[in-house]
Amino acid sequence: MYTYGYLFYIPVNLMLILVFGIKGILQERKKGYYFFVFILGIYLNFLIDKAFFPIFTDGAAYYTSLADHVNLDVTSLFGYTLYQIIGNLALTFPMGILLAFVMDCRNSVRTGCSVLLSVLIEFVQLLMIISLHLTDVCFDVNDILLNTAGCLCGNAVFYIFCRMDARMQGQRCSDTVIGYFHQVCRKCAGVSLTKPY
């Protein structure tokens, strides 16, 4: 059995630091940016741990066929418990918010990226089933729907919050983490900024 330990934790975080750290240095981003990269890193590690681990390597001995580990029946969503539904929605809800602080792009592009990442979770699980013959993982179309819905809810809630925040804050801004937060909110709400964040 493999848990999400240093074997996986170190390369995931090194990749995160390299991608967003170098991007931040090249674009001369403010310290608020690095704070939210750190928060995104904590979230991504939690997401990976909950979505893919533990991996039971001895499950391959009980593997029969791919069809036993794939659910394409959308109607089975009605059989989900409230805990399963809320859990899947909550798993990707933060993604719809956190990407706004590390990706400098339009809302539609960011929403598309966050939805793509939430769908990718299930396809990575499918790849694990095919390659490692895991029996404790299932590719479920309902999880894709719930993960996508959670991500879109995060985007929608953050956009509504940004519209309210932009009205309250006006043009006030500072170089602190809070100032960076308000700048991202104003950009998300479509308010023009006097200086880049």
Side-chain angles (χ1 to χ4, degrees):
M1 180 180 81
Y2 289 101
T3 57
Y4 187 56
Y6 292 111
L7 179 64
F8 304 99
Y9 180 80
I10 292 173
V12 165
N13 287 284
L14 277 176
M15 203 163 56
L16 185 75
I17 290 167
L18 282 174
V19 170
F20 290 106
I22 291 172
K23 177 183 176 233
I25 292 168
L26 292 176
Q27 295 179 346
E28 298 179 353
R29 302 301 286 266
K30 298 178 181 178
K31 60 185 174 184
Y33 167 82
Y34 297 101
F35 173 79
F36 284 102
V37 167
F38 176 73
I39 298 298
L40 178 67
I42 292 172
Y43 165 70
L44 287 178
N45 282 285
F46 174 80
L47 176 72
I48 292 168
D49 184 33
K50 294 300 176 192
F52 306 115
F53 291 89
I55 298 173
F56 294 96
T57 52
D58 58 345
Y62 304 99
Y63 180 86
T64 52
S65 71
L66 180 63
D68 293 334
H69 305 286
V70 173
N71 177 28
L72 301 176
D73 181 15
V74 181
T75 59
S76 63
L77 180 61
F78 298 109
Y80 273 38
T81 64
L82 186 62
Y83 175 78
Q84 288 174 302
I85 293 172
I86 292 174
N88 275 314
L89 290 173
L91 189 65
T92 53
F93 183 87
M95 192 184 303
I97 298 171
L98 289 173
L99 288 184
F101 295 97
V102 296
M103 291 180 68
D104 187 17
C105 57
R106 291 176 300 158
N107 289 337
S108 57
V109 174
R110 195 174 54 252
T111 300
C113 288
S114 55
V115 167
L116 184 65
L117 287 171
S118 64
V119 170
L120 188 64
I121 294 169
E122 283 302 305
F123 281 97
V124 170
Q125 288 181 338
L126 179 63
L127 186 63
M128 290 169 69
I129 295 168
I130 294 170
S131 61
L132 302 175
H133 291 163
L134 301 180
T135 56
D136 57 313
V137 178
C138 180
F139 175 83
D140 195 336
V141 68
N142 298 307
D143 287 345
I144 292 177
L145 295 175
L146 290 172
N147 288 347
T148 303
C151 188
L152 291 174
C153 284
N155 274 284
V157 168
F158 184 64
Y159 178 75
I160 292 167
F161 174 83
C162 287
R163 296 290 291 187
M164 294 188 306
D165 182 72
R167 286 180 188 157
M168 291 186 292
Q169 292 299 319
Q171 286 298 315
R172 285 185 299 161
C173 119
S174 66
D175 289 335
T176 64
V177 171
I178 302 297
Y180 179 78
F181 177 85
H182 292 306
Q183 286 177 328
V184 171
C185 285
R186 284 200 297 277
K187 187 172 189 307
C188 182
V191 177
S192 60
L193 299 173
T194 55
K195 56 182 179 177
Y197 64 100

